[in-house]
Protein backbone atom coordinates (compact mmCIF):
# COMPACT_ATOMS: atom_id res chain seq x y z
CA UNK A 1 0.00 0.00 0.00
CA UNK A 2 1.53 3.38 -0.99
CA UNK A 3 2.20 5.96 1.75
CA UNK A 4 -0.65 8.37 2.44
CA UNK A 5 -0.30 11.87 0.99
CA UNK A 6 -0.76 14.09 4.08
CA UNK A 7 -2.22 17.00 2.11
CA UNK A 8 -4.69 14.71 0.36
CA UNK A 9 -5.72 13.51 3.82
CA UNK A 10 -6.22 17.12 4.97
CA UNK A 11 -8.40 17.76 1.91
CA UNK A 12 -10.53 14.66 2.64
CA UNK A 13 -10.93 15.59 6.31
CA UNK A 14 -11.89 19.17 5.44
CA UNK A 15 -14.38 17.89 2.83
CA UNK A 16 -16.25 16.39 5.80
CA UNK A 17 -16.94 19.86 7.27
CA UNK A 18 -20.67 19.90 6.72
CA UNK A 19 -21.16 23.44 8.08
CA UNK A 20 -18.62 24.96 5.69
CA UNK A 21 -20.13 22.96 2.81
CA UNK A 22 -23.65 24.14 3.66
CA UNK A 23 -22.39 27.74 3.67
CA UNK A 24 -20.78 27.22 0.26
CA UNK A 25 -17.14 27.57 1.41
CA UNK A 26 -14.56 25.82 -0.77
CA UNK A 27 -11.03 24.73 0.10
CA UNK A 28 -8.94 25.95 -2.84
CA UNK A 29 -5.39 25.32 -1.64
CA UNK A 30 -3.63 23.74 1.30
CA UNK A 31 0.04 23.18 1.99
CA UNK A 32 1.98 22.94 5.26
CA UNK A 33 1.24 26.09 7.24
CA UNK A 34 -1.05 27.65 4.62
CA UNK A 35 -4.63 27.36 3.34
CA UNK A 36 -6.92 29.34 1.05
CA UNK A 37 -10.71 29.12 0.96
CA UNK A 38 -13.37 30.95 -1.03
CA UNK A 39 -17.05 31.74 -0.71
CA UNK A 40 -19.34 33.18 -3.38
CA UNK A 41 -21.76 35.50 -1.59
CA UNK A 42 -25.40 34.64 -2.19
CA UNK A 43 -28.66 36.07 -0.93
CA UNK A 44 -28.64 33.59 1.96
CA UNK A 45 -25.39 35.17 3.27
CA UNK A 46 -26.90 38.65 3.64
CA UNK A 47 -28.05 40.06 6.96
CA UNK A 48 -30.87 42.50 7.65
CA UNK A 49 -28.95 45.52 6.39
CA UNK A 50 -28.00 43.76 3.13
CA UNK A 51 -24.30 43.10 3.81
CA UNK A 52 -22.59 39.76 4.34
CA UNK A 53 -23.59 38.33 7.69
CA UNK A 54 -20.65 38.18 10.11
CA UNK A 55 -21.19 34.45 10.67
CA UNK A 56 -20.70 33.77 6.96
CA UNK A 57 -17.41 35.68 6.93
CA UNK A 58 -16.34 33.97 10.16
CA UNK A 59 -17.20 30.52 8.73
CA UNK A 60 -15.00 31.17 5.69
CA UNK A 61 -12.08 32.36 7.84
CA UNK A 62 -12.52 29.51 10.33
CA UNK A 63 -12.51 26.96 7.50
CA UNK A 64 -9.16 28.32 6.24
CA UNK A 65 -7.82 28.29 9.82
CA UNK A 66 -8.91 24.67 10.27
CA UNK A 67 -7.23 23.52 7.06
CA UNK A 68 -4.06 25.47 7.88
CA UNK A 69 -3.74 24.24 11.48
CA UNK A 70 -4.45 20.63 10.40
CA UNK A 71 -2.04 20.82 7.44
CA UNK A 72 0.69 18.88 9.22
CA UNK A 73 -1.30 15.65 9.37
CA UNK A 74 -2.42 15.65 13.00
CA UNK A 75 -5.73 16.77 14.45
CA UNK A 76 -5.82 20.41 15.53
CA UNK A 77 -8.85 21.96 17.23
CA UNK A 78 -9.55 25.61 18.00
CA UNK A 79 -8.67 26.93 21.45
CA UNK A 80 -9.31 30.60 20.76
CA UNK A 81 -10.44 32.68 17.81
CA UNK A 82 -11.20 36.32 17.17
CA UNK A 83 -12.27 38.33 14.17
CA UNK A 84 -12.21 42.01 13.31
CA UNK A 85 -14.47 43.16 10.50
CA UNK A 86 -12.78 45.87 8.44
CA UNK A 87 -15.41 46.55 5.77
CA UNK A 88 -18.75 45.26 4.60
CA UNK A 89 -18.92 42.77 1.75
CA UNK A 90 -22.01 42.81 -0.43
CA UNK A 91 -21.33 40.69 -3.53
CA UNK A 92 -18.85 38.52 -5.35
CA UNK A 93 -16.34 36.01 -4.05
CA UNK A 94 -14.58 36.33 -0.71
CA UNK A 95 -11.17 34.72 -0.21
CA UNK A 96 -9.64 33.72 3.12
CA UNK A 97 -5.89 33.09 3.30
CA UNK A 98 -4.57 31.47 6.46
CA UNK A 99 -0.90 31.55 7.40
CA UNK A 100 0.54 29.69 10.35
CA UNK A 101 2.56 32.25 12.29
CA UNK A 102 3.79 29.88 14.99
CA UNK A 103 3.72 26.12 15.55
CA UNK A 104 4.87 24.14 18.53
CA UNK A 105 4.30 20.53 19.48
CA UNK A 106 0.95 21.49 21.05
CA UNK A 107 -0.22 24.76 19.45
CA UNK A 108 -0.67 26.43 16.09
CA UNK A 109 -1.26 30.17 15.80
CA UNK A 110 -2.71 31.34 12.49
CA UNK A 111 -3.60 34.69 10.94
CA UNK A 112 -6.33 34.79 8.32
CA UNK A 113 -7.01 37.66 5.92
CA UNK A 114 -10.43 37.75 4.28
CA UNK A 115 -10.56 39.86 1.13
CA UNK A 116 -13.11 40.68 -1.56
CA UNK A 117 -12.65 40.33 -5.32
CA UNK A 118 -10.84 43.66 -5.52
CA UNK A 119 -8.38 42.53 -2.86
CA UNK A 120 -9.81 44.90 -0.23
CA UNK A 121 -9.61 43.70 3.34
CA UNK A 122 -12.96 42.51 4.70
CA UNK A 123 -11.80 40.91 7.96
CA UNK A 124 -8.82 39.83 10.01
CA UNK A 125 -9.11 36.56 11.93
CA UNK A 126 -6.69 35.13 14.46
CA UNK A 127 -6.86 31.59 15.74
CA UNK A 128 -4.96 29.40 18.15
CA UNK A 129 -5.37 25.65 17.81
CA UNK A 130 -4.47 22.81 20.15
CA UNK A 131 -2.50 20.17 18.24
CA UNK A 132 -3.48 16.68 19.34
CA UNK A 133 -1.36 13.62 18.71
CA UNK A 134 -4.13 11.90 16.74
CA UNK A 135 -3.32 11.47 13.04
CA UNK A 136 -5.88 12.81 10.56
CA UNK A 137 -6.01 9.34 9.01
CA UNK A 138 -7.68 8.16 12.22
CA UNK A 139 -10.46 10.74 11.66
CA UNK A 140 -11.10 9.31 8.21
CA UNK A 141 -11.12 5.75 9.54
CA UNK A 142 -13.59 6.69 12.29
CA UNK A 143 -15.80 8.49 9.77
CA UNK A 144 -15.83 5.42 7.53
CA UNK A 145 -16.66 3.12 10.46
CA UNK A 146 -19.45 5.43 11.64
CA UNK A 147 -20.98 5.52 8.16
CA UNK A 148 -20.75 1.75 7.85
CA UNK A 149 -22.47 1.41 11.23
CA UNK A 150 -25.27 3.76 10.23
CA UNK A 151 -25.81 1.85 6.99
CA UNK A 152 -26.00 -1.46 8.86
CA UNK A 153 -28.44 0.02 11.38
CA UNK A 154 -30.74 1.02 8.54
CA UNK A 155 -30.51 -2.39 6.91
CA UNK A 156 -28.05 -1.22 4.24
CA UNK A 157 -24.86 -2.66 5.64
CA UNK A 158 -23.14 -5.94 4.91
CA UNK A 159 -25.57 -8.81 4.72
CA UNK A 160 -28.61 -6.58 4.28
CA UNK A 161 -31.31 -7.93 1.96
CA UNK A 162 -32.73 -5.90 -0.86
CA UNK A 163 -36.37 -4.82 -0.70
Amino acid sequence: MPPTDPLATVRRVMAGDRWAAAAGAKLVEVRPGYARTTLRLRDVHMNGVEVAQGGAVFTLADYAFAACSNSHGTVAVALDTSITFARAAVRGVLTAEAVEESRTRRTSVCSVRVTDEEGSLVALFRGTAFRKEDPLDAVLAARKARRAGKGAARGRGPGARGR
Side-chain angles (χ1 to χ4, degrees):
M1 184 164 157
T4 304
D5 173 4
L7 295 178
T9 300
V10 172
R11 285 185 198 94
R12 288 198 325 269
V13 168
M14 292 298 108
D17 188 324
R18 293 168 295 285
W19 184 257
K26 306 245 184 280
L27 177 60
V28 176
E29 181 181 358
V30 63
R31 60 182 190 262
Y34 176 86
R36 183 165 42 100
T37 59
T38 61
L39 173 71
R40 176 167 296 284
L41 291 176
R42 301 184 318 253
D43 219 31
V44 69
H45 297 119
M46 297 300 132
N47 65 17
V49 295
E50 297 302 318
V51 299
Q53 210 276 343
V57 177
F58 184 94
T59 293
L60 178 66
D62 187 55
Y63 193 42
F65 164 55
C68 184
S69 62
N70 280 279
S71 67
H72 303 286
T74 56
V75 175
V77 294
L79 283 172
D80 181 64
T81 62
S82 66
I83 192 164
T84 301
F85 299 102
R87 74 178 316 131
V90 295
R91 71 180 73 72
V93 176
L94 299 182
T95 299
E97 287 189 279
V99 175
E100 192 171 54
E101 304 290 350
S102 171
R103 178 172 55 102
T104 68
R105 188 172 143 275
R106 287 295 190 196
T107 62
S108 169
V109 178
C110 299
S111 296
V112 184
R113 290 178 55 87
V114 179
T115 56
D116 62 18
E117 287 181 338
E118 288 77 42
S120 297
L121 183 67
V122 171
L124 290 172
F125 175 106
R126 185 114 169 136
T128 302
F130 176 72
R131 300 183 69 233
K132 299 172 73 172
E133 294 177 0
D134 306 335
L136 286 178
D137 286 332
V139 172
L140 295 175
R143 184 185 298 162
K144 184 177 180 180
R146 188 173 54 252
R147 287 181 180 160
K150 284 183 180 179
R154 292 186 196 133
R156 294 185 205 132
R161 295 183 194 180
R163 291 186 171 192

